[in-house]
Amino acid sequence: MRMTIITMYFVLLVLGVKSQGALKQQIRAEYYADAAADRFDLDEEARNKVEQQKLKDLYKLSELRHRYVDGELTAEEHQAAVNVNIREQIIALTEIVGQDKKQVSAFFYEVTKEMAILRDI
């Protein structure tokens, strides 16, 4: 399933849809949820909860980025808010998947790194 999402991402890039933020966020949330389902053997309901939570988190990060760009936040305030958001994401994912926080943190950083690589291509 993740390969399908990666393929969709590249097709959208080729078609020039890169500026469609909401669509990119949806693809990233699906990728993240599929990765979590694979890693933690989640059922469809839990996978969907992960996807919905990730969409909320991506929206929050987007709002923080806009506030920073608009000058409402300093660089330090922005970074502090992002760090809090990351901790909140890990806590939420830990609650959904019911795994050890250390395992969830490792998963979070691995998948975040994968998604950053995809975003930079």
Side-chain angles (χ1 to χ4, degrees):
M1 184 66 175
R2 284 199 288 177
M3 289 308 295
T4 303
I5 293 170
I6 292 170
T7 304
M8 287 177 10
Y9 187 81
F10 284 115
V11 167
L12 292 172
L13 286 175
V14 170
L15 294 176
V17 185
K18 191 173 180 179
S19 64
Q20 299 296 328
L23 186 55
K24 287 189 332 184
Q25 286 183 350
Q26 178 65 42
I27 291 170
R28 291 174 67 201
E30 287 178 17
Y31 181 87
Y32 186 83
D34 287 341
D38 290 347
R39 171 71 75 83
F40 300 114
D41 196 31
L42 302 179
D43 62 14
E44 190 65 25
E45 182 179 345
R47 184 224 166 272
N48 291 338
K49 286 181 183 178
V50 170
E51 182 178 340
Q52 291 305 309
Q53 183 63 45
K54 188 62 177 177
L55 280 171
K56 290 177 191 174
D57 296 332
L58 290 170
Y59 178 76
K60 287 179 190 176
L61 288 172
S62 177
E63 287 298 311
L64 287 173
R65 191 172 328 135
H66 288 298
R67 290 181 59 204
Y68 173 65
V69 168
D70 292 343
E72 295 177 33
L73 295 175
T74 65
E76 294 81 17
E77 291 169 332
H78 177 258
Q79 188 59 53
V82 167
N83 291 343
V84 168
N85 181 273
I86 289 170
R87 284 193 294 276
E88 290 172 349
Q89 288 184 53
I90 291 171
I91 290 168
L93 183 59
T94 302
E95 291 173 1
I96 294 170
V97 302
Q99 296 288 328
D100 177 58
K101 186 177 177 183
K102 203 176 239 185
Q103 291 176 328
V104 173
S105 292
F107 163 78
F108 176 84
Y109 287 107
E110 288 171 19
V111 174
T112 300
K113 185 177 175 181
E114 289 174 14
M115 289 191 304
I117 291 168
L118 288 174
R119 185 180 61 234
D120 293 340
I121 292 177

